Amino acid sequence: MVYQLILYLHIFSAILSIGPFFVLVPMTKKMKTAENEVLLAYLSLFKSAVGLVKHAGHVLVTTGVLLIWQSAWSWTTSWVVMTIAVMAGSVFFLARAFSPVIRKFQEQKLSEEELIRRLHRSVWIYIALLMMMLWFMVSKPVLW
């Protein structure tokens, strides 16, 4: 019963970690034609989505550790190692890809066009990283 609850929380936090970014993709397209006040509202929403993803990531990591601890999987299993490696990269990427870019825009060190281009590209890169992790966790490939 406890294992199923942890698994449920793990899957739910994975959804919360990935889902907001699929909303941000069309939003970055709308940002191209947005007036200044609307653009600022979009940026605020962007920051909120990234904050949600960060907190969901904490739950995701915690429940992932508990699931490995409660299961027969080893920390040296290839899919576990690869998931951790991609996760480490995604944490570094998340820290560098969004908040600093938005901050540079607010400090007027980036043009609107450059801001939107960077955010749009970063959203897709982050989605790719998350989908890679999801693939490792779901398919559990034996790589070595």
Side-chain angles (χ1 to χ4, degrees), residues 4-129:
Q4 286 87 3
L5 177 62
I6 296 169
L7 181 60
Y8 174 81
L9 291 173
H10 188 69
I11 293 168
F12 183 66
S13 61
I15 292 166
L16 288 177
S17 293
I18 297 170
F21 285 96
F22 286 101
V23 173
L24 295 179
V25 170
M27 193 173 81
T28 57
K29 291 180 182 179
K30 290 182 180 186
M31 289 170 72
K32 292 177 183 178
T33 58
E35 297 293 324
N36 192 44
E37 285 185 27
V38 176
L39 179 61
L40 293 176
Y42 282 146
L43 291 175
S44 178
L45 185 59
F46 220 98
K47 287 169 53 174
S48 296
V50 170
L52 172 65
V53 166
K54 286 179 184 178
H55 293 303
H58 296 141
V59 175
L60 188 62
V61 170
T62 302
T63 55
V65 167
L66 292 172
L67 287 170
I68 295 296
W69 178 60
Q70 291 289 317
S71 72
W73 296 106
S74 164
W75 288 102
T76 57
T77 304
S78 61
W79 70 267
V80 174
V81 171
M82 292 304 295
T83 300
I84 292 170
V86 174
M87 180 189 64
S90 71
V91 167
F92 177 76
F93 182 79
L94 184 64
R96 307 288 305 150
F98 299 106
S99 296
V101 172
I102 293 171
R103 200 172 314 114
K104 282 183 185 177
F105 173 74
Q106 290 170 335
E107 295 169 357
Q108 298 179 341
K109 294 181 180 178
L110 277 180
S111 68
E112 281 184 25
E113 185 178 306
E114 179 65 14
L115 166 79
I116 294 163
R117 189 185 65 72
R118 285 188 186 186
L119 291 177
H120 187 76
R121 186 186 72 225
S122 294
V123 166
W124 280 112
I125 292 169
Y126 196 67
I127 286 172
L129 289 169

